[in-house]
Amino acid sequence: MIHARDIFTRSIKLTPTLLMALLVIPVVGGLIGVLLPAFGYIPALDKTTFTLRGFYSLFNTAGFANMLLLSAISSLVSTLLAFIITVLILACYFNSPWLYRIQRLLGPILVIPHAAAAIAISFLITPSGMISRLFSPWLSQWDSPPDWMFPHDSWGISMVLGLTLKELPFLLLMALGALAQADLGAKLRAQHKVALSLGYCPMTAFFKVVLPNLYPFLRLPILAVLAYASASVEIPLILGPNAPPTLAVAIMHWFNDVDLTLRIQASAGAIMQLLLTMGLLLSWWLLEKLTKKFSHGSLINGRREYAGQLIQRFTQVLTFILLSIIMLSLAGLILWSFAGYWRFPDALPSQFVLLHWQHALQQMQTPLLNTVVIGFVATLVAVILTLFTLEAEQLRTRNLSNFASLLIYLPMLIPSIAFLFGLVWLQEQVGSHHAYFNVIFGHLLFVLPYVFLLLASSYRRLDPRFSHLAASLGATPSKVFLRVKLPQLLAPILIAFALGLAVSFSQYLPTLLSGGGRINTITTEAVALAGGASRRVSAVYALMQMLLPAIAFFLAWFIPKLVFAKQTASPHKLQHPTLKQQSKA
């Protein structure tokens, strides 16, 4: 007879295998589903002969070389800029309270969906945007909007700006998270102080002592950022050039075209996108090696000063400009969502109305419900699978291997455009025609790595003595898991849940493809409206995209405080039952 304890233990130990299967099979199957059509094999179109026709059509497409160049340069430049600015901010404000103030200001940007961020930036830099309106009173000749091509400029400058502003908070928070580790943070701060005592400029001390030890902890986040930027769809669709667009945007248009033969060309494009991303990751690795080789001498030459004061002043000005851009973008969204009549040179609308919010809220009920339900279900499954996998680690008394961890982060490193279309084909082959389930599963692929990344460190740092004490008193593994470990992890679990919701709320391509265009969410509606609908309605949808994750993170912050406050106010609830009876007597 199998005891309940054995059932729980065996079920938990099987979870890592299930987790790997859920992530690897769709990604690999999706890649196969793109690879076969790329070589002309589509039985549904009576094409069963392997050819290179798709690649010939792709290479002969007008502007194909520009698509590749634009995708490569924009992703590499935006990632490099985000990394450089992150390092400059860390170096300028290291061991300063301003570093954590900047973190609190930039932190909320991390959870803003990419589409909402792109819409906010477009409202800022468009010819009649906030920048033009702020400068128009001092420039008398600006009676009409200036004639510039932002956004959608052919050089992709506005797209690079959007990608940089979205990637910067993520890299900065990853760096601060690494510095928050007790051993690493204390060691680097002590070494930095020693360098200062030896006469090194604070900026020079950071670059020579802190950065070489900190960079290994930033490598994976940087590669994830570079992989995302190379195949991003939302930001290039809203801010990028249209003729030609980036390769990822062009692939999406080809897949959604009514001409089904373009699927072959689109699949070939997806393979090229995968090769492009791999090439960029390899280029970054080579850039690391070259930088390490040529900077080795400067690390040990004993020089104390490299224009540190000038770089520090430049960083302070740059930080002020970045924060101003972010604040102006958000202010522009809010103003446009309530604006009535607003002629160009005026910095503020002549009247404020609620009409746009009232109209949008009536129209967004179904997309809003879809967004919340899909995000909640996908995140709940991701949190459960993550907790069971981490519990299996402790039952087996060993952590996941590096290879298994790499598989978990696979959807973050492989461009979604390269396997999502194949995943749709795979779902059709297995007869999965339930659009809602397909969309939830598509979201789960991208939510799960982020939830695991956030929960793993907290779960592995749990003090094992509590579990050992409970087990010695006769508690089963299931009771130890439910009544000892999970209560201690309430705050990290809620934060991970909020992050999973934020990731799900921002998914555009998985929703569009997995649902076949039949499932509308706030994100899909916002991207569609950004293409040329009313600027006021677009602002309402973009703000709603920001409000949803903000509410989730507020609840994740508020609920633990409420729970712990009740426990503090009612300490008798934590007493032994016998002691409670004695106290009543």
Side-chain angles (χ1 to χ4, degrees):
M1 182 176 179
I2 300 177
H3 295 286
R5 175 183 305 191
D6 297 330
I7 295 175
F8 175 81
T9 304
R10 292 181 182 180
S11 301
I12 290 292
K13 288 184 176 180
L14 289 174
T15 307
T17 305
L18 176 62
L19 183 70
M20 301 302 168
L22 280 176
L23 291 173
V24 174
I25 292 177
V27 174
V28 175
L31 290 175
I32 294 174
V34 167
L35 191 63
L36 293 177
F39 288 95
Y41 184 81
I42 305 183
L45 299 180
D46 294 329
K47 297 182 182 296
T48 56
T49 304
F50 289 98
T51 66
L52 295 176
R53 186 177 303 170
F55 289 96
Y56 291 145
S57 300
L58 179 67
F59 297 150
N60 292 326
T61 301
F64 173 68
N66 291 334
M67 295 178 191
L68 280 176
L69 193 63
L70 182 64
S71 300
I73 292 178
S74 62
S75 56
L76 195 58
V77 170
S78 62
T79 304
L80 192 60
L81 283 176
F83 171 68
I84 291 174
I85 296 172
T86 298
V87 171
L88 287 176
I89 291 175
L90 289 171
C92 181
Y93 300 103
F94 194 69
N95 283 332
S96 168
W98 274 102
L99 184 60
Y100 296 95
R101 293 171 187 168
I102 295 172
Q103 176 193 1
R104 286 195 291 269
L105 290 173
L106 291 178
I109 308 300
L110 181 63
V111 301
I112 294 178
H114 296 86
I119 293 172
I121 294 171
S122 70
F123 285 1
L124 179 69
I125 63 177
T126 194
S128 59
M130 290 300 297
I131 291 180
S132 299
R133 293 176 184 275
L134 288 176
F135 284 99
S136 60
W138 290 275
L139 299 171
S140 57
Q141 66 271 24
W142 275 18
D143 293 330
S144 59
D147 186 17
W148 64 44
M149 295 302 295
F150 300 115
H152 308 299
D153 59 290
S154 58
W155 292 92
I157 297 175
S158 53
M159 180 175 61
V160 169
L161 174 64
L163 289 169
T164 303
L165 291 177
K166 198 67 184 72
E167 295 161 357
L168 172 62
F170 176 71
L171 293 181
L172 182 61
L173 292 179
M174 290 295 102
L176 292 176
L179 291 173
Q181 298 180 19
D183 296 338
L184 178 67
K187 173 186 173 183
L188 293 182
R189 286 185 173 85
Q191 292 178 349
H192 188 261
K193 289 180 180 178
V194 171
L196 294 179
S197 67
L198 294 175
Y200 282 87
C201 166
M203 300 289 286
T204 305
F206 179 88
F207 282 100
K208 288 194 173 187
V209 176
V210 178
L211 184 58
N213 296 292
L214 179 63
Y215 182 79
F217 296 89
L218 293 177
R219 182 177 287 111
L220 180 60
I222 289 173
L223 294 179
V225 162
L226 181 59
Y228 169 79
S230 67
S232 173
V233 172
E234 300 96 319
I235 291 181
L237 199 60
I238 297 173
L239 296 175
N242 297 319
T246 61
L247 182 59
V249 173
I251 293 169
M252 186 193 69
H253 290 325
W254 294 334
F255 266 112
N256 291 328
D257 199 283
V258 294
D259 185 2
L260 296 181
T261 58
L262 282 177
R263 294 286 182 95
I264 300 175
Q265 179 177 323
S267 298
I271 299 300
M272 289 301 301
Q273 179 66 65
L274 178 61
L275 295 176
L276 173 65
T277 301
M278 293 175 62
L280 288 171
L281 297 179
L282 179 61
S283 300
W284 189 271
W285 178 77
L286 292 174
L287 188 61
E288 283 184 11
K289 297 299 180 182
L290 291 174
T291 304
K292 183 177 180 180
K293 179 179 179 180
F294 289 104
S295 64
H296 180 71
S298 62
L299 294 177
I300 59 176
N301 60 7
R303 184 173 175 180
R304 265 66 172 170
E305 177 68 45
Y306 286 92
Q309 287 292 104
L310 182 61
I311 298 175
Q312 192 169 18
R313 293 293 175 84
F314 171 77
T315 305
Q316 292 170 351
V317 173
L318 182 62
T319 305
F320 175 76
I321 293 174
L322 289 173
L323 293 177
S324 299
I325 289 175
I326 293 171
M327 297 304 172
L328 280 175
S329 301
L330 295 177
L333 274 183
I334 296 172
L335 287 175
W336 275 110
S337 69
F338 291 102
Y341 179 70
W342 193 0
R343 61 185 299 272
F344 166 65
D346 298 341
L348 294 174
S350 57
Q351 57 180 342
F352 293 92
V353 296
L354 294 174
L355 178 64
H356 319 304
W357 279 94
Q358 293 171 352
H359 178 72
L361 289 174
Q362 291 175 357
Q363 301 295 325
M364 70 168 60
Q365 293 179 5
T366 300
L368 181 60
L369 180 63
N370 290 338
T371 302
V372 174
V373 171
I374 292 170
F376 184 85
V377 175
T379 305
L380 180 63
V381 174
V383 170
I384 292 174
L385 289 175
T386 298
L387 290 173
F388 282 4
T389 301
L390 295 170
E391 176 65 12
E393 282 187 351
Q394 299 196 356
L395 292 177
R396 294 176 175 178
T397 65
R398 67 177 185 273
N399 291 346
L400 294 175
S401 64
N402 293 333
F403 178 72
S405 300
L406 180 64
L407 293 180
I408 291 176
Y409 302 130
L410 204 59
M412 296 173 61
L413 298 176
I414 294 182
S416 58
I417 198 83
F419 71 88
L420 276 178
F421 294 103
L423 178 60
V424 173
W425 171 82
L426 188 64
Q427 290 170 342
E428 292 175 353
Q429 299 306 308
V430 300
S432 178
H433 300 294
H434 302 284
Y436 226 86
F437 172 80
N438 292 341
V439 172
I440 291 174
F441 185 75
H443 283 217
L444 178 63
L445 293 177
F446 298 94
V447 171
L448 192 51
Y450 286 95
V451 171
F452 190 91
L453 182 65
L454 188 60
L455 270 181
S457 58
S458 299
Y459 205 99
R460 290 165 180 166
R461 286 202 305 263
L462 280 177
D463 192 339
R465 291 176 295 180
F466 291 103
S467 302
H468 296 160
L469 179 60
S472 67
L473 295 175
T476 62
S478 59
K479 285 188 177 180
V480 173
F481 176 70
L482 294 173
R483 303 184 65 177
V484 177
K485 295 181 178 179
L486 293 189
Q488 296 181 72
L489 291 167
L490 177 62
I493 288 173
L494 290 176
I495 293 295
F497 204 96
L499 178 62
L501 287 175
V503 172
S504 176
F505 292 160
S506 66
Q507 295 302 315
Y508 171 71
L509 204 57
T511 307
L512 184 68
L513 299 180
S514 299
R518 290 171 289 173
I519 305 296
N520 295 325
T521 63
I522 297 295
T523 299
T524 59
E525 294 295 300
V527 174
L529 290 170
S534 168
R535 188 178 294 182
R536 294 162 175 80
V537 179
S538 298
V540 173
Y541 273 83
L543 286 173
M544 185 59 69
Q545 273 193 295
M546 298 180 185
L547 285 175
L548 289 177
I551 292 172
F553 275 94
F554 172 77
L555 292 176
W557 169 82
F558 178 73
I559 291 175
K561 289 184 174 295
L562 184 64
V563 171
F564 295 143
K566 286 185 176 180
Q567 290 181 354
T568 305
S570 304
H572 63 276
K573 292 183 179 180
L574 303 177
Q575 294 178 357
H576 193 275
T578 306
L579 297 178
K580 291 169 68 175
Q581 293 176 1
Q582 292 177 357
S583 64
K584 289 181 180 179

